Amino acid sequence: LFHRHKEAQQCCRPHNLPLLRAAQQREMEAVEQRIREEQRMMDEKIVLELDQKVIDQQSTLEKAGVSGFYITTNPQELTLQMNLLELIRKLQQKESESEKAFS
């Protein structure tokens, strides 16, 4: 787009240059608006996918019988579940380290 605009400006007659620049400015603004909108839609899609991953994880852990896990969107309960997962991860890591020490 920049390259095309530059070429057009170089070929433009001096008395038409202000009109050309105004048209190019409108085109740039439209492109920037489209980019912002597409970025917003992509962000929303990613958030929805992450929310679905959380629900899938909660469901799997609930089915596995892990205490404290059930499907929820409550931020406090989600924080508690994240802390539980971190605790489980740390306990598993310590268990792996102690198994290596005795090997």
Side-chain angles (χ1 to χ4, degrees), residues 83-95:
N83 289 336
L84 283 170
L85 276 177
E86 183 64 17
L87 176 64
I88 291 168
R89 189 189 66 78
K90 285 181 179 181
L91 288 172
Q92 189 274 331
Q93 191 176 27
K94 285 189 181 208
E95 185 177 307

Side-chain angles (χ1 to χ4, degrees), residues 53-66:
K53 295 286 183 192
V54 168
I55 290 169
D56 293 346
Q57 185 179 53
Q58 289 170 332
S59 176
T60 300
L61 292 167
E62 181 181 30
K63 288 176 185 172
V66 180

